Amino acid sequence: MTHVPPPAEELRLLDAELWQLDSRRAQLLARRAWLVAALRPAPQTPVAQTPTPVAPPRPEATAPRVQNVLLLLGGVLLTIAAMVFTLVSWGRLGIVGRSLVLGVVTLAVLAAPVPLLRRALRSTAESVAGLGLALTVLDAYALHETGFPGADGTAYAAVAAAVLAGFWTAYGRGLDALRLPVPAALAAAQLPLILWAVAASAGPYGITAALLVTAGLDTVVALRATAPAVRYVATVGAYGLGVSGVSAAGWLSWTATGPSAAARAAALLILAAAIALGAAWQARQPAVATVTAPVGGLLLVSAGGGLLRAALPGGWTVPAYLVCGVALLAALRGRLPEPVRSGLVRASSAVQLAASACALPLVAVALLGPVGWAARPWSGGPSDARAGVTVDVPWPAHSAQLLIAPAVVAGVLTLLVRAEAWRQRALSGALVLAWATALALPAVLELPYSASLLVQGVTTAAALAAAASGRPSPPLRLTATVLALVGSLGLAFLALADEIATLTVLSALTLLFAAASWRPAAAPVTAPAALAHAAALACATGATAGWPPQHTALLVLAVPVAAALLAARLGAWLGENGATVPIEVTGIAAGLLAMGLAVTDPPMLALVLALNGVIATATAVRPDRRPVGYAAAVLFVLATWVRLASWDVGAPEAYTLPVTVPALCVGAWRRHRDPLTSSWTAYGPGLAATLLPSLAAAWDDQHWPRPLLLGTAALLVTLSGARHRLKAPLVLGGTALVLDALHELAPYLVQVADALPRWVPPALAGLLLLALGATYEQRIRDVRRVREVLGRMN
């Protein structure tokens, strides 16, 4: 039978076996660690790496570029040397030597490119050819000095330039591989005509004609040339000489004193226009036509306008050029390429725009001049319409002629612009120009003052009718609305000269804008304008009745009332059209105006503030205007404060209690609706509004009733906070109670402090320190006990 040891013996055997296993495990782990360390590779000494070869520095210039620079420098230096030889060392040789030297050197240099080209040394050949061209110029100079010393220098230069241009052209055509001679010949060809005109004393007209003819020839070359260098030189010459010639011709036309001079200047301008339009017609690039076609049209207008200006009396300059600009549109009926047609249209538009801009000072005076009546209202109606707009500003000269431009341009825009893409813009521009013409016409014709009011009123009504009508497009309606507003402002200022006119005009404007407000599209603008005019009418009515400003403020309050009623009764309809906010903003502005009128009379100001508060309260009844209730509360509080100040009430509680009581009621209502609302949010502002000012007043009060009442109120607030477990009443009431008590007990505390011996304060300080030390020691002891407990647990 198997021997089974007792449990105690079996446990001893198991423990011994486990101890042996742990010992054997420790030996095996130690052996394993030694083997891992033995098998780990030893650190190797780093081997020096071979440095990477560095690439050779890259050359900064290519070989062809270096070659060209060297050749260019060589040619320039040789040219300079030839010039020095010709100009400085020429006198050391005789006539034969001079001719032989220059002739031989020139022929040799001009012939050198031939063998160079055969050897394919084209760059060197170009450099040598450039030197040869420079030597021909020196030959021409030497020929003048030796063969024609008495010839006119300018005329000789013209002939020499022409001969050199022809010779260089032939030389370049002979050696077709060279690119320099032909552009150089074209550059030299810029001089002959101009120098010939100067030598012949052709005058400014002849010199200008030479400039334009040369520019025309350059234009032809630029359009037909195929070589880029030739085309570039021709283009530079065409633009440079063309601008110079056009500037000179324009100056001659503007300063012409008679028909003959104007005709000659017009001929020059027509020549320049022909060159520009021809370039636009034949140009291959659209960009060229875009620039030259409008310039050609403007030159034609300048030519015709200059002729008419010289034939017409003074003051008709703008109409003369305008007629030519409009007549330019007649050329569009012919068969012209599209770039030329569009260029002429742009030119005509520019002329019409400039002519209309000349009438801007006239319109500005007619529109802004009546503002001067604001400083002298009801001083008596002016003698005529011009006197009504020139209160503080002068009247522009030639007003009748200037006013022709906007009227003509308005007709052109209405009748001639038919494209759908531009039709609405043209009609908007025509409407603005027609309105400006009607605005300034009474002053131009010096109509009676009443007639000017009637004309401007009819113009404003027409613009308002167009804005309120549903037929015009949105851009046209917007333009008409802006014109109606601006015209109504100018009409209101113009009517300030006379009392009856002011009342009549403001009444008519109020009715007109109110009637237009029934159109949904115009309501966001016309309804606020009607209210604004109604506010001005209220002020004028009060002034007519002889009321002081503070009484007129009550009449002005009718406007905020009307705005609030409109927003309340027609809120849905106005909201759909976006007119609610503008109407309410206008009502707010009228309310502020009423406050400003009543600010000098505190009792009346309090009444105005209270009435504004009533209006705000009525507005806050609407669900979407609840926040206006805060403004109503502020207005009521301000009204109360102003009334108290007018009664010379100095107690701060009279000002703060009207705020505290409603604030506490609102806070209690909010806590009832939302029990989670903090007491600081519900009651803090209301309690602080009275406790803090009263506490500040009580601190300087030498009497007992205020501190007693304040302490009683603070005690009640503290007890209420403790009863309902509210922090705000408890903290605010307790703080006010303690501070009030300290204020009342301060004299007795001072007496007690004087009665105490001198050793009492140090003794009290020592006791305080001992108490703090004992507390500190007790806390350290508690920490030690906790540490010992934790140690025993371990």
Side-chain angles (χ1 to χ4, degrees), residues 110 113 117 122 126 129 133 164-186 230:
L110 291 176
L117 290 174
R122 182 173 179 177
E126 292 281 0
L133 299 182
L164 289 177
F167 174 73
W168 291 351
T169 303
Y171 181 71
R173 295 298 182 186
L175 299 177
D176 192 52
L178 296 178
R179 293 175 294 180
L180 180 61
V182 176
L186 184 59
V230 176

Side-chain angles (χ1 to χ4, degrees), residues 346-426:
R346 288 196 294 269
S348 178
S349 302
V351 173
Q352 296 179 57
L353 179 62
S356 301
C358 292
L360 281 179
L362 182 66
V363 178
V365 172
L367 181 62
L368 302 178
V371 178
W373 291 110
R376 49 181 76 85
W378 299 353
S379 57
S383 57
D384 54 30
R386 184 174 297 184
V389 300
T390 55
V391 183
D392 297 320
V393 293
W395 184 251
H398 309 298
S399 57
Q401 291 85 348
L402 293 177
L403 196 60
I404 294 175
V408 172
V409 175
V412 171
L413 291 176
T414 304
L415 299 176
L416 298 183
V417 180
R418 297 295 181 180
E420 290 296 332
W422 294 91
R423 182 62 178 171
Q424 299 301 324
R425 301 178 187 177

